[in-house]
Amino acid sequence: MPQSVVWKLKDVPTRLREKQPSNVKLVSWMPQQDLLGHPKTKLFIYHGGIQGTFESICHGKPML
C-alpha cells in the first residue's frame, strides 16, 4: 500500500513493533486536531465517537 498510516494505540506491543511496515507509524498519542487539519490527511478511520465526528466534519475529512 503506497499510503502512509498513523495508527494510535495506547500500549504498542513489542511483537507489533517488530512486524511494523515502513509506511505505518505507531504512536501512543498524537494531537488529533493537528492530524485532521493536515493537508495530506485523506481519511479518518475511527470508532464512531461524537467528538471525532465533529472534528472530522470541521476539517472536511471523510470518515470510515
Side-chain angles (χ1 to χ4, degrees):
M1 177 166 92
Q3 294 81 10
S4 296
V5 175
V6 178
W7 187 357
K8 184 206 169 275
L9 289 171
K10 190 176 263 187
D11 298 311
V12 180
T14 304
R15 60 179 164 64
L16 190 56
R17 284 224 186 262
E18 292 169 353
K19 297 178 181 182
Q20 178 180 347
S22 61
N23 66 330
V24 176
K25 180 176 180 140
L26 298 171
V27 296
S28 59
W29 183 85
M30 177 167 275
Q32 189 166 289
Q33 290 281 354
D34 293 346
L35 187 63
L36 287 171
H38 195 280
K40 289 188 176 182
T41 300
K42 302 296 180 199
L43 176 68
F44 182 43
I45 300 173
Y46 74 121
H47 61 75
I50 193 70
Q51 190 65 33
T53 301
F54 288 147
E55 291 170 351
S56 191
I57 291 169
C58 176
H59 291 287
K61 304 298 179 181
M63 300 165 271
L64 177 65

